[in-house]
Each structure stands twice: as structure tokens, then as C-alpha cells.
Amino acid sequence: MMRRRMILVFLMPALTLYLCFLVFPAIQAFYLSLFETSGFGDNVKWVGLRNYSRLLTDHIFWLSVGNMLVILLAGGAAVFGFAFLFTVLLNSGIWGKKLFRAMIFMPNVIAAIAITTFWSFVFMPRYGLLTNILKSIGLEDLAKMAWTAPENIIWAMLVGLVWISTGFFTILILSGADKIPIDMVEAARLEGANNRQIFRLITLPMMWDVLLITLVLWVVQAITVFEFPYAFGGPEINQNLYTPSIYLYIMGFGQRDPIYQLGYATAIGVTMFLMMVISVTVLRLLLRWDQVEY
Amino acid sequence: MASVELKDIRKSFGNVEVIRDVNLKISEGEFVVLVGPSGCGKSTLLRCIAGLEPVTSGTLLLDGEDMTDADPISRGVAMVFQSYALYPHMSVAENIGFGLKIAGESKAAIKIRVLEIAKFLKLEMLLNRKPKELSGGQRQRVAIGRALARKPGIFLFDEPLSNLDASLRAEMRVELAKLHSDLGNTMIYVTHDQVEAMTLADRMVILNAGQIEQEGPPLDLFNRPANKFVAGFLGQPPMNFIRVNDVKLNGRILTVELPGGGKLEVRGDWGALNGTNGLEIGIRPEDVSVVAGAGKLPMEIDVVEHLGDQTILYGHLDGRQPMTVRLAGQLDYKAGQKLQLDLSPDRLLVFDLEGRNANLAKT
Amino acid sequence: MLFSASRYVLSVAALTTGLMASAGAGSAAELTFWSMWNETEPQAKALQMIMDAYTVANPETTFSVVWNGRQNQTKLRGALQAGTKVDFMDQDGDQLVGGLQKEGLAYDLSGIVDDELKNALLPGTLDLYSSDGKYYQITYIYNTVNFWYNKEMMDEAGATPPKTWDDLIAVCDAVKGIGKHALVVESDAADYNMLFFSNLVERTLGANAVLKLMEDKSGAGWADPAVLDAAQKSRQLWDAGCIAEDARGFQWPAGQTTVALGDTMGELVGSWLPTELLETAGQDFPWAAFSFPEVPGGVGKSTDMEVALIGMMVLKDSPNAEEAAQFLKYVVSEEAQKTMVETGVVGVTRKGVEWPAIIADGATSAAEATALSNFAGGLALYYPDFNSNVAKPEYNKMFLGQATPEEFVATMVAATAEYWKAQ
Amino acid sequence: MKSRKSILPRRWPRRWKNAASYIIVGGWSGFSLFFVLWVVFASLKSTRKLFSKPWSIPYDPAFGNYVKTWVSSRFGDYFLNSLLVVSLSVLVLLIVSTPAAYVLSRGKFRSRQVISSFLVFGMGVPIPLLFVPLAVIMAKLGLADTLSGLGLVYVAVSIPFTVFVLQGFFSSLPSELESAARIDGCKDWQIFWHVMLPLAKPGILTVAILNFVGLWNEFQLALVLIDSPENRTLSLGMYSLITSMKYSGGDWAGLFAGVTIVMIPTIALFLFLSDRMISGITMGGVK
């Protein structure tokens, strides 16, 4: 029997740090979002829910939400598509599964900020790598494309983001697939199931819980995504790359232009949090949350 | 050396009562085996004695001293676990010496004691190995060595042989018996294997659903089980229970009608036999003989098992009651064959409606 | 940029002798300076020399510098909150007005701004950022906004610097004739792109006209035909092929690099461009500049000019405000300004100090300037959030072809009305 | 291993299917390799060459790019800052998280489940939500713009994941060892110290590496909490290099030298410990 005193001593340091620097600020965010303050002097003004009503009509905010949805849906489709493809291919009995898995995952250990530099160079019009390749294979028309033009730039950014994320989600989904006991698949094969039936009747239901968790992870990541698009946008980030997180940062901390609307910025954060909670709840309701035990 | 006394011990996990009112006295130097089916609470009882689980109520006396709430260490107990629970990150020597190190013994003293034990258990060559480099039997010995290190008064064994293969298990059984005779310590041993229980125990305690069904020397329990549970639990294949009709009691003589119409007379001290309907007689498969011609009990064979030195017949009586017969030697029986059986009356047991052994003289 | 120790010592010595004569006042203090320059930039080196020289002349005054880079002011706020003491800092003048100055955190420098100082500096440079007759910053670097271009390419195309908008379009045609483009932009540098708009509006309506568009709280200011005209003319640059199609995707500094690499003739931008491209373009690049052309019927003259001045500001809470102010005064002294020019390769605010050769044309336009407007119209001064969140991005959208000029006007009218309603 | 399922048409011969698998998987994996190699090559060219011959191999490597980035752009200092703040954060993180995880997996007390879930909840808090409050709190505590303040926040935001993974790890250790240690006379803390902690070493090492890599690459909190250049971490230094590069004539080669400096430590760790890292992430992510 563990003694109460030891439990306390063992738990306290972690709980204290966690409370002070994570839970408390998170709660304070809700409070701060009811004020208007620049953070400079002591001109703190209570505005109630006005920051939120302002958000409703702020088309830049909605633009950022739109971009977020592009990342969430289009990016999500690509990431999960690739992750599934790689899971299937890696489990199709090819040699070097572990090596390939590590290589696919590798971008995740490199700072996003460093990776963006590379992708900026890839998509740079006229001198970039992509243009270079297209030119060398004779696709002059495509080579002239401005990949980072305002209407394209989010897609260019998304390519890099998908590249990184695919590795992460591949290893998660792969580990879910590897959890399935092989005898179960063999039993089904003996009973005459074909590959598609095995996938639909065995693999998919047995991976259901892993799939849901990865979906939730993606939703959370997509809603809060910050550094990759931020760094991709450079010092004068284009609004076509704004995500709610970036807009929050710009409103709270500013770039070169001085905008210091701490209350409003925090309200964006709270709204993001709510979006996260709502979408996770919806996900749970849409896709039944029953786990497979085995 | 120490004696153990359990008084009205109860143990619950939440709403589930695992040990119900257990009273047990174990004298110094005794080898007691707690045996019972899985989930009967025997391991929990052992852990309560060790001090690993607090009891819900009741008293635990060690050498007459109340130790109900004491630490394992002050109880002077040592324990060998089912999985051996060797510390994987320590060498054999460190495993054996760990308790001494915690007790603050000097390095030199630990070394001497570890060598002593290693010699005793023939582990000298293995002292620097890690547990994962040892065979199952070697691990078992290290676990015992670790238990020996601090010269405990009481040894507790929690199914220590169940992870070994059959032949090694037999070998270790002998070693354990030898260990007991060498050391003479009080030992409490938990197992679900009746062979281990029968061979090792000075005294067997049969547990069922958190209660003691019966205790006593192994053969006493085998021959004179207090109830159907004990009777059925000991012996392999288990005892046959046959429902009988038309019971007549005349002093010490009990007359019953067996399935198939045969009559049987059993002598005993029946007291006021509680009701005469629904009685069952119990007979072990080896106490049945096959007779040519008319016997007391007709049976049809369903399955025959040839074990080489013996032949086991599984079949049924009239009224579909199952029946098992064990015969010595290799015999040529076939499924579907009909047999006439005879029962030896002095090996018969009679169980009343509550499943108690009805022969008062024998209990 | 090569930088030899001996040259450094010589310059410091020269500076110091000048200082000794004027003999600085002030007591012992270590002044903390937060700077918008990165340590590796020539401007930082020049400032370091100036500070070293000042310390030699006034041994009691030493400096501790934080080279923050362009987000200096933003970073400074965090530091001020944390209780860090900062004595003075520098940043683009217009950004300071909208930031620290507006927040009331600037020290009033009116004490050192006398007529002598005013007359010593190029006209308007101090007044541009003064408010209510008080001075909160000393502008020490002068950036003009012109078309900076490759003179050889202009000659090769057989063109001459344009005087009117139509001339400009003709120049574009001429340059196209030799397989190049006359202009380039950076798709993400919205405030650079906005220069076309603000200059066009100012050529039509006069200096500082963009700020006035904002002042009508109904938003009707933006309905002025000059706004639509400016928007349409900026689109014309694309239609007439002044700018290459793929420039829509250039991210800073990809566009300006094309000038250095000889793909493009020039860019409408501040006079810092030749300095920035020093390494890529090489020392001998034939830099020249022409002013924004006039438009037919406009009241603005070609000598009216947008500027981006860089100012130094003393913080109100500085314990050494007076010493810092004295140093600021020194930064615009002739000796210090010469160091800024020679080592920092920038234009300066003091009259009579010759600018670096590569931006000599900037010096000429600064000397001839008839009226000064703020960079990109100056919305950043008083409406910083509106500027970054509405004006710049909306114009940029239209400029890059994601909206029509008419839509842009409508958006601006509505957004301005909404902005004032929320105040 | 048996073929589990295949998305390729059934009538295709197996050899073709395999070839297709190798091409797709190998292509994607190869791109990772290409990325690293190209960046390293780019960092060894002059900017002019980088633009004119982006595919060439730099036979006369321009190490000057590294000198410039390391010294003038002060990557040397940033590297040390990162090393210091990340190592210390990970150390403190382990010191506070390991005991907590142990108690939460092995202790028996009523609020255990509640505290566990409460900690897990922290994984769902979006970091941007904390930008402003953290900046305000840090300023109040006098920790704004300090590496120690940043370190404290790093520890706090890493606690949920770390405790969660370690808790799982402790739960997987056999409970009989605990009993054995108690029989051997160990007090509660001695069981932890002598038996459970040494056994949890692989798990602790795994979370240590994962957190090291994660914090080494961390950018957004540093961006918000660090103001002075001398306190920059490497990722902030990288960002300031990206932005200042624009003012110094597009020194892309120096930029890629910076990228190389940033990524070398984590890639080196990954080369040796990829299996451990991947299994740690799937443990935290999927379990």
C-alpha cells in the first residue's frame, strides 16, 4: 500500500507546474477575452462579449477559418489517403518495412521552421526547384506557373504540410494495423474471405478505435496549425495563409505593424478551443465510439 | 521458525468478499498447502499473511503476537512468486542480496550470505548473470535463494511451480520437499495442483469461494472428504457421484437402489439422516470393477482412453448419468459396449442433500 | 561587405575629434539601445561606430545594444512588460507613431529640437512624425520612394525616365522589346505594392491624400473617383505587361532578386533597395532612380515624394532620458551622419551630407522634394490595425487580380464605415 | 509476413504488385533522403550557384556559409541556448513526471482516475490559446524574455504527454516485482527507486528523446515568450535568419546552412533511435 504522503510528494511537482503554466493560463484566456487591452499601459477595459461579437463580423477571421477548413479537409484527405496507402503497401509483405517506415516518418523530427525554407525554395517562381524540373522535362507552360501566387499559395504550403503530416499519421495507422492478430486474418482467409472482404470485415473494424483517435489528432492539429504556414509566409505573411492561430498571433503580438489587441487575440484562441471541442464531439457522435476488445 | 494463527480473517475488494471468515492455525515447522480452484482466494489469503494486502477484519498472530497491521518485513516472511519476480536489472547475486542491502547490512556480510546460499542452491556459477540469462529451473532456485537470504521464519510460496514444464516440476517438487526437511521452516504453499498439494503437504487446506472447506493431512482428506466439493476436487479423474432412489435406512444399514435397478447396502453411522430422497453416493473411478454377467450397475461406454498403464472408460448409466471407470492395464473396450459394474462397498461415500458426507463415523 | 579594423579605428578617431570640440554634457550612464537592425547589417555597424565614438568623447556614457531586427517594437513591448529598462530604440517612423508614440510611452524630445536642429535637417523630416507640436523621435535615416532601376537596361531599351503615367507604360513596352520586364513586385510585400496606389492617389489629389480618405467616417472618402482610377491604373501595369505574370508568386525577396540578376529593369520601392542588393548585384550595378510620374489632371507634382524615415525614440520611463536625448542629437550631427552614409550605406536626414553613390538619385529627390507623404500613404500611423488587416490586404488582392478595382472600392467604403462604427 | 490486403487489382502478377509498392513507398522515402542531401548541398554552394545550378553537387564546398551563419548570425549562441534550455527542460520534466506517472499507475487512491484524466486533458489544450495569458503571466513573474521562463513553460506543456506515456509504461511492469520488493523490506520510495525506476529506464529514455526532439524544434512558444536576440533558441534564430536574409540580399545559401545546423542534432538522434522514437509516439498517440 502506497502511503498518502508519498503519493502527495510524488504528484505535487508535476501537478503544480501543470496547473501554473498550462491550466491556469488556459482558464485565464477565457477571462482575458472579455477585456480590451494593449498590454502596454494599464488601460484595461471590460468589454464583455464584445470581442466575440466582433469576431462574428470579422471577415479576416472567417478567411482564416476558411483556410483552416482547407487544411482540415483537403489536407486531411491527402494525409489519410497517403497514410492508408503506405500502411497497405508496407504491410503487403515488402522487404525493408522498418526502413521505409523510418524514412517516411523522418520529416517529423526536423524543425518545421527549417522545412519551410526548403519548400519556399521549391515553389519559388522562375528560380525554384519545381520550375526547374518542369522546365527540364519540357513542360514550359507549367514551369511558368506562379505556385505562390495568392490563389495558389495555400496549396503550395499544404504540399509541405501534407509531406510532414503523412509520416506522422502513417506510423499511427500502421501501428493500428499491426495490432491486428495475424491469425484472425488467416482464419478469415480459410473461411474463404477475399482481400476486400478481409479489409472491410476484419481490418477496418479492428482498427476503428485507432482511426478515430488519429482523426481526432488531425482535427486538433489542423485547427491549431501555426508554425508551418507562418514560417512559409515569411515576414510579410499573406492573408491567404492566415490560420486562426496566425491571426491570433498577429492581433496579439503584431508583425512590424503595431497591433496590440490582447483581448481580441485571446478571444480568437477561445473560439479555436471551442471549435476543437465541438468538432471532436461531432466526430465522436458521427462515428460510433465503440472500441474493439481483443 | 514461527507459528501462524488466523482468526476470523475477512478480505473484501470493494463489494466483493474474497476471504470469508477464515480461521486457521499453523504450527512451527509445518508445511501447509492451501489448495483450491482458481479464484477461491488462496493467493489473496497468502498475500494477507505476507502483509501485501491489508485484511478487512480479523486478526493475524505470528508466534502469538498480533501482526495484523505489520509491514511484511517485520513479519519475518519470505515469498516465492509464481513468476519468480526476479529483478530483471540485477544480477543473481544482487537479487539474492537485495533484501539484506535494504536492511542496511554491510557489503561484506551480504557477500558472505549470498555465497552461502548460492552454494546451498548450487548457484555459484550463475551469480553474475542476469535473470533473463537463466533457465526456468535456475530462476526458480534464485527466487528461493532470495527468499532464504534473510533467514525468514515463514516461507510463502505462491504457485511457484506452475510456470515450469511437467518434468522440471516433478524435480522441483522433490527439491522443495528436501528444502523443507533441511530447513524445518514453517512453509505455506499455495497451488491449484492437487498432486503438488498431496505430495508436499503436512497438512492440506482446501479453500473454496473464500472459505475453508476442510483441512487435514492429505490422505485423510482424500479418504474422508467432508463434502462433495472436497471429494470431487481431489483425485483424477474425479469421483463419480450417482443419484440413487428408494432409500431405506435401517439402523447402520442404508439400502439404496442404483440406476438400472441394482440394490446396494452401505454400512455406517448415519445418525438422523436428513431426508432420504436426493441422496448421492460417491465412488472413485478406480474403486469400480467390471464383472462378467450380472453386476449391480449397468453402463454404456462412450469413450475409451488408453493411457498405457491404465484404461479409462467414460460412459453413462441408465438415466444418462455420467460414469467414469479406471482400470489397471491395457484393456480392449470399445465405445458403445455395455458393461456390468460392481462397486466396493467400503470405498463408497454417501452425500446428503447439502452435499455433506453423511457417514458420521468417517468424518 | 568588407570591413577592416584599421578603417574602423580611423573612422572612430575622426568622429571623436569632432565630438571633443562640441564636448557633450551628461553624467555617467549606461544607455540601453534596442535596435531594428540585425547585427550583421551595415547600418548596425555604423551605429556601433557612432556609439563607440560617443563613449570615447563622453567616457561616462556607455551603451548596451540589443540588435532585434525589424520586429523591434513588438519585441520591446514584451520586454517593457517584463520590467526591462530600455532607454532608446529605433524603428520606422510611421510605425513608432502608431505604436509607442500613440501609447504615450515616448519621451518628449521638444527640449532638444530647436530651430538650429530643424534647419540642419532636410525639410519636413522632423515634422512628419510630430504630434500636437511635440517631437517624440529624431529621424536619422532618410529613405526615398522612387522607381529604382538598372540604367543600362533603360538605355538598352532606348527609353528615358518617364514623366507621366503614359510615359511609364511606354517604357514598359520598350523594355518588353528587349525581352525583359520593366517592373517587378513581391506578391507578399503588400506595403510595397500599395506604393502604386498611394502614389497614384497622391499624384491626383496631392500629398498625404490617402490619410484623408480615411477621415470621412461614412467611408465615402474612398468613393472618390481618384481611388478607382488609382486602382485601375495599378491593374494596368499587369495588363500592359510592365510586370511579369509569375511575379504574382514572388515572395520577398525573390522579386527584387530578379532586378539584381538582370531579368527586370526596376522596382518601385524605398532607396534601401540598392543597399540590400549590394551583394547579389555587385558593387558596379548601374543604379538610378526616377520619381513617380504625374497623372493627367492631378494636383500632385512629380517632386512630391513618399518617404520612409527611420527614427530614434527615447522611452518615457527611461531613467537616463536626458542623456539618451543628447545622444540622439549626436546621431544627426554631421560626423555621425557621415558614418551612417559611409558604413551604413544609407541616405540620411542631415542637409549637406552626401549620400552613397549608388543612391545618389535618392539624395537628389530628397533635396528637391516639394512635399513629403508617408510610406504607402501613411495609414500605418493612425490606423495600424485597419492598415494591416484591411487596406493592405484588400489592395493587394485587387492588385494581384483576385478582385476588380470596383470591388476594391466598394470593400474599402464598407470597411471604413464599419471601422469607425466600432470605435 | 503474409499479404494482408492489397489495393492493387488481383489479376496483376505478384511481382508487378511488389514493384509498384517499392516504387511508391521507395519514392516517398527517397524524397526524405533527397530533402536532407539537397539542403546540405545547397548550404555548401554560393547563392549565385544555388540559383543557377540548383542540382549540382558542390565539389568546392563553400564552408564560409557555415562560418557566417554560426558566427555573424550568432547560430553558435542560439545553439547553446537551445541545448541549455531543452536539456534542462527535459531533465526537470523527467524529474517531475516520472514520480507522478508512477504514483498514477501504481498507487491506489480514490482521486487517481480523476487526476489522470485531468492531466490527459492538457494534451488537448491548443498552444495558441496560451499565447497571450502566458505572456502576461511571465511578465508578472518577471520571467518574460528569459530562458528559464521558457523552460518552465516547456516543462508544463510537456507534462501531459510524458506522464501519459510513462504511466502506460509503468502499468506494463509486472506487479509481482513490487510485492517482491516489499517482502524484501522496501519502503514505498525504495520500491520506486530501486526497482521500478531502473525498470522504467527504457520508457524514460524514450520520452526523453521524444521531448528533446519536440522542444528542440519548438517555435511558437519561443516566438511569443522570447524577445531579446541573445535569448533566442535555434528555431527562433532560424526564423530571424529567414526574415533578416531578406534584408541582406537573399543569402539563401547561408539560410540553408542554418537549416542544416538546426536539423543535424535531431536527425542524428533519429538515425540511432528511430525505432524507439516511433514506438514511443505510437504509444502516446494510439494507446
Side-chain angles (χ1 to χ4, degrees), chain A residues 38-40 59-60 125-127 148-151 153 232 236 239 251-261, chain C residues 74 77 81 92 95 103 105 188 191 244 246 248-251 258 263 384-385 388-389 392-394 400 402:
Chain A
S38 73
F40 261 126
H59 80 279
I60 303 164
R126 207 175 298 183
Y127 309 108
T148 43
E151 69 276 10
I153 191 162
F232 193 81
E236 297 266 328
Q239 279 188 351
M251 291 309 275
F253 298 84
Q255 291 283 83
R256 277 177 77 170
D257 282 321
I259 314 168
Y260 308 114
Q261 304 188 358
Chain C
T74 332
R77 179 184 59 163
Q81 277 182 325
D92 305 59
Q95 288 169 9
E103 296 282 343
L105 293 173
D188 62 339
D191 46 359
D246 62 357
R248 297 180 67 241
F250 281 143
Q251 287 193 279
T258 66
D263 285 353
D385 51 339
S388 339
N389 289 328
K392 282 200 302 192
E394 287 302 334
L400 297 175
Q402 287 184 301

Side-chain angles (χ1 to χ4, degrees), chain D residues 7-209:
Chain D
I7 51 144
L8 298 171
R10 258 200 133 165
R11 19 175 229 286
W12 279 27
R14 182 164 186 83
R15 206 179 321 154
W16 286 22
K17 281 194 205 172
N18 263 351
S21 303
Y22 282 122
I23 289 170
I24 298 172
V25 173
W28 190 281
S29 309
F31 189 77
S32 299
L33 198 66
F34 161 76
F35 161 79
V36 174
L37 285 180
W38 188 88
V39 167
V40 173
F41 285 167
S43 71
L44 292 170
K45 296 177 192 174
S46 68
T47 299
R48 227 165 226 288
K49 202 137 184 211
L50 181 59
F51 273 78
S52 57
K53 287 183 179 158
W55 303 105
S56 66
I57 294 169
Y59 289 111
D60 48 342
F63 291 110
N65 293 329
Y66 282 91
V67 177
K68 203 160 73 184
T69 307
W70 187 262
V71 180
S72 316
S73 301
R74 297 176 61 180
F75 263 46
D77 297 350
Y78 304 155
F79 196 94
L80 280 181
N81 281 345
S82 270
L83 202 61
L84 192 75
V85 71
V86 173
S87 319
L88 283 179
S89 300
V90 171
L91 189 70
V92 173
L93 177 66
L94 294 179
I95 291 176
V96 303
S97 301
T98 315
Y102 172 66
V103 163
L104 286 175
S105 88
R106 287 317 178 105
K108 291 185 182 122
F109 50 102
R110 245 172 298 133
S111 46
R112 190 177 70 98
Q113 198 49 51
V114 179
I115 295 179
S116 260
S117 324
F118 177 60
L119 277 172
V120 170
F121 158 82
M123 281 197 263
V125 173
I127 297 295
L129 177 69
L130 307 176
F131 282 178
V132 174
L134 273 180
V136 172
I137 290 169
M138 284 296 155
K140 290 231 169 79
L141 293 177
L143 289 173
D145 190 19
T146 61
L147 287 175
S148 38
L150 182 66
L152 275 178
V153 174
Y154 276 177
V155 172
V157 298
S158 312
I159 283 176
F161 172 80
T162 310
V163 170
F164 182 72
V165 173
L166 283 179
Q167 213 179 319
F169 202 86
F170 276 121
S171 300
S172 71
L173 298 177
S175 65
E176 279 197 340
L177 284 178
E178 239 173 315
S179 301
R182 187 163 287 130
I183 294 282
D184 274 334
C186 286
K187 303 247 185 319
D188 290 337
W189 66 270
Q190 285 175 315
I191 297 178
F192 173 69
W193 185 252
H194 288 297
V195 179
M196 298 315 254
L197 192 60
L199 290 181
K201 252 188 214 155
I204 293 173
L205 188 61
T206 304
V207 289
I209 299 162

Side-chain angles (χ1 to χ4, degrees), chain A residues 63-84:
Chain A
L63 178 75
S64 75
V65 171
N67 291 337
M68 181 199 88
L69 286 176
V70 168
I71 295 172
L72 179 70
L73 300 176
V79 166
F80 277 83
F82 282 124
F84 257 106

Side-chain angles (χ1 to χ4, degrees), chain C residues 226-279:
Chain C
V227 174
L228 182 63
D229 185 53
Q232 283 163 338
K233 281 201 165 67
S234 10
R235 283 298 311 160
Q236 198 189 348
L237 295 168
W238 297 92
D239 301 337
C242 292
I243 310 170
E245 247 329 279
D246 62 357
R248 297 180 67 241
F250 281 143
Q251 287 193 279
W252 198 23
Q256 64 189 37
T257 309
T258 66
V259 179
L261 296 177
D263 285 353
T264 308
M265 188 183 76
E267 187 175 4
L268 173 63
V269 70
S271 51
W272 53 75
L273 186 71
T275 320
E276 278 183 15
L277 290 179
L278 211 52
E279 221 165 313

Side-chain angles (χ1 to χ4, degrees), chain C residues 10-305:
Chain C
L10 275 175
S11 321
V12 172
L15 276 167
T16 313
T17 42
L19 252 182
M20 290 299 193
S22 66
S27 51
E30 188 192 55
L31 299 179
T32 306
F33 171 39
W34 279 42
S35 175
M36 68 175 282
W37 304 108
N38 293 292
E39 203 173 357
T40 47
E41 293 179 87
Q43 294 91 333
K45 287 178 183 146
L47 282 173
Q48 190 61 58
M49 282 169 64
I50 293 169
M51 284 182 280
D52 289 348
Y54 193 79
T55 301
V56 172
N58 306 280
E60 307 84 11
T61 309
T62 54
F63 296 89
S64 124
V65 194
V66 175
W67 302 110
N68 256 322
R70 300 303 184 277
Q71 292 181 23
N72 189 30
Q73 188 175 214
T74 332
K75 296 278 170 198
L76 185 83
R77 179 184 59 163
L80 288 179
Q81 277 182 325
T84 310
K85 278 281 165 253
V86 176
D87 295 300
F88 68 104
M89 51 91 66
D90 63 352
Q91 189 84 46
D92 305 59
D94 51 350
Q95 288 169 9
L96 282 177
V97 173
L100 295 171
Q101 193 167 325
K102 187 170 146 205
E103 296 282 343
L105 293 173
Y107 177 77
D108 184 359
L109 293 169
S110 305
I112 59 161
V113 180
D114 46 20
D115 285 346
E116 192 197 330
L117 184 65
K118 276 197 210 170
N119 290 330
L121 301 189
L122 286 164
T125 49
L126 283 174
D127 294 320
L128 195 59
Y129 304 128
S130 67
S131 76
D132 301 331
K134 287 189 173 145
Y135 298 90
Y136 293 100
Q137 42 176 318
I138 302 293
T139 43
Y140 74 103
I141 290 181
Y142 198 128
N143 291 306
T144 64
V145 173
N146 321 76
F147 285 93
W148 289 92
Y149 69 97
N150 180 339
K151 197 165 184 315
E152 278 172 14
M153 200 183 289
M154 175 84 90
D155 295 343
E156 194 190 336
T160 50
K163 293 276 175 252
T164 66
W165 183 259
D166 293 337
D167 291 351
L168 178 66
I169 303 295
V171 169
C172 292
D173 277 341
V175 177
K176 242 174 19 189
I178 58 165
K180 305 277 166 99
H181 289 277
L183 299 175
V184 73
V185 296
E186 317 274 0
S187 74
D188 62 339
D191 46 359
Y192 281 16
N193 298 340
M194 188 114 168
L195 291 173
F196 285 106
F197 175 76
S198 57
N199 272 295
L200 280 164
V201 169
E202 280 153 5
R203 286 290 178 266
T204 314
L205 300 176
N208 290 307
V210 178
L211 268 176
K212 293 193 189 96
L213 299 177
M214 256 326 265
E215 281 162 16
D216 187 332
K217 297 189 178 176
S218 69
W222 295 91
D224 191 305
V227 174
L228 182 63
D229 185 53
Q232 283 163 338
K233 281 201 165 67
S234 10
R235 283 298 311 160
Q236 198 189 348
L237 295 168
W238 297 92
D239 301 337
C242 292
I243 310 170
E245 247 329 279
D246 62 357
R248 297 180 67 241
F250 281 143
Q251 287 193 279
W252 198 23
Q256 64 189 37
T257 309
T258 66
V259 179
L261 296 177
D263 285 353
T264 308
M265 188 183 76
E267 187 175 4
L268 173 63
V269 70
S271 51
W272 53 75
L273 186 71
T275 320
E276 278 183 15
L277 290 179
L278 211 52
E279 221 165 313
T280 332
Q283 299 279 352
D284 306 324
F285 194 87
W287 284 111
F290 61 84
S291 299
F292 202 91
E294 288 175 2
V295 296
V299 301
K301 288 182 290 210
S302 68
T303 45
D304 294 354
M305 184 172 53

